[in-house]
Amino acid sequence: MESPFSELLLAEDRILHRVAELGRAITRDYAGLDLVIVGVLTGAFVFVADLIRHIDLPLELDFVAMSSYGAETKSSGEVRLLKDLSHPVQDKHVIVAEDIIDTGLTLRYLMESIQARRPASVACCVLLDKPSRRVVDVDVRYRGFEIEDRFVVGYGLDHAGRYRNARSIGVLRS
Ligand code: IMP
Ligand code: MG
């Protein structure tokens, strides 16, 4: 398959190395706690699959789905929950795992919605952070990479539903 990227940003081995580091940090910080990882569908599914295999603790896995950008590359500013948690998180320690934080609207909404279920704690873990685009403040406890304001695809991230299966992350060819 021809590369979908105009520029390769993060090669597969660099991503996997960093994801393993994040998993080790979570392992250290959550030892002895009742841990639930909440992946944000669809973009975070590849990240979550790799991340949880580097967390050397008993844990539960759940997923939520949020409204996407459709075929746009800029946020509409409107966030909707399309699929809620499947299990209660009351008194558990929740880590929301997301592919990328951009404006912060998605994670802010999600963190508030999870907080309302009275977990013991809630933190977030993002693979990518575009800090220059932030509109609302979100406390990101675990961060894979900071990137510039460019639309990226691969390793679960899509444009109009495609390129999720690319093993590396790059800037979409326009
Ligand atoms: P936020 O609500 O603006 O922080 O947007 C977060 C969501 O926007 C992520 O979960 C992604 O689905 C999507 N998104 C933001 N930037 C990109 C990108 O560069 N590539 C692919 N999806 C993106
Ligand atoms: Mg997403």
Side-chain angles (χ1 to χ4, degrees), residues 40-44 66-69 72-79 98-109 128 130 133-136 138 147-154 156-160 164 169-170 172:
V40 185
L41 295 172
T42 304
M66 307 291 294
S67 57
S68 80
Y69 290 7
E72 304 303 313
T73 58
K74 291 280 182 243
S75 173
S76 63
E78 203 186 291
V79 182
E98 172 64 310
D99 52 3
I100 184 166
I101 179 166
D102 187 33
T103 62
L105 290 165
T106 304
L107 270 174
R108 156 72 77 85
Y109 178 97
L128 305 175
K130 285 186 196 170
R133 296 251 313 148
R134 203 61 39 79
V135 171
V136 291
V138 178
I147 61 169
E148 287 171 26
D149 180 16
R150 312 180 65 189
F151 197 82
V152 295
V153 296
L157 291 126
D158 75 308
H159 177 248
R164 295 192 195 279
I169 293 174
L172 182 62

Side-chain angles (χ1 to χ4, degrees), residues 12 21 34 36 49 51-52 54 59 72 74 77 95 108 117-118 129 145 150 157-158 169 174:
E12 181 181 19
E21 287 180 343
D34 209 349
V36 182
L51 180 69
I52 61 168
H54 289 284
L59 60 81
E72 304 303 313
K74 291 280 182 243
I95 298 178
R108 156 72 77 85
R117 326 285 170 90
R118 316 225 271 129
D129 186 356
F145 302 94
R150 312 180 65 189
L157 291 126
D158 75 308
I169 293 174
S174 50

Side-chain angles (χ1 to χ4, degrees), residues 46-98:
V46 178
F47 173 44
V48 172
D50 286 336
L51 180 69
I52 61 168
R53 287 178 290 170
H54 289 284
I55 302 175
D56 191 16
L57 298 172
L59 60 81
E60 290 172 78
L61 178 64
D62 205 341
F63 286 98
V64 293
M66 307 291 294
S67 57
S68 80
Y69 290 7
E72 304 303 313
T73 58
K74 291 280 182 243
S75 173
S76 63
E78 203 186 291
V79 182
R80 279 182 311 135
L81 189 63
L82 302 179
K83 180 216 165 286
D84 204 345
L85 292 169
S86 299
H87 306 284
V89 292
Q90 186 166 1
D91 300 327
K92 298 187 175 184
H93 293 270
V94 177
I95 298 178
V96 177
E98 172 64 310

Side-chain angles (χ1 to χ4, degrees), residues 107-126:
L107 270 174
R108 156 72 77 85
Y109 178 97
L110 201 52
M111 303 284 280
E112 282 175 0
S113 146
I114 290 174
Q115 198 67 64
R117 326 285 170 90
R118 316 225 271 129
S121 70
V122 54
C124 64
C125 174
V126 303

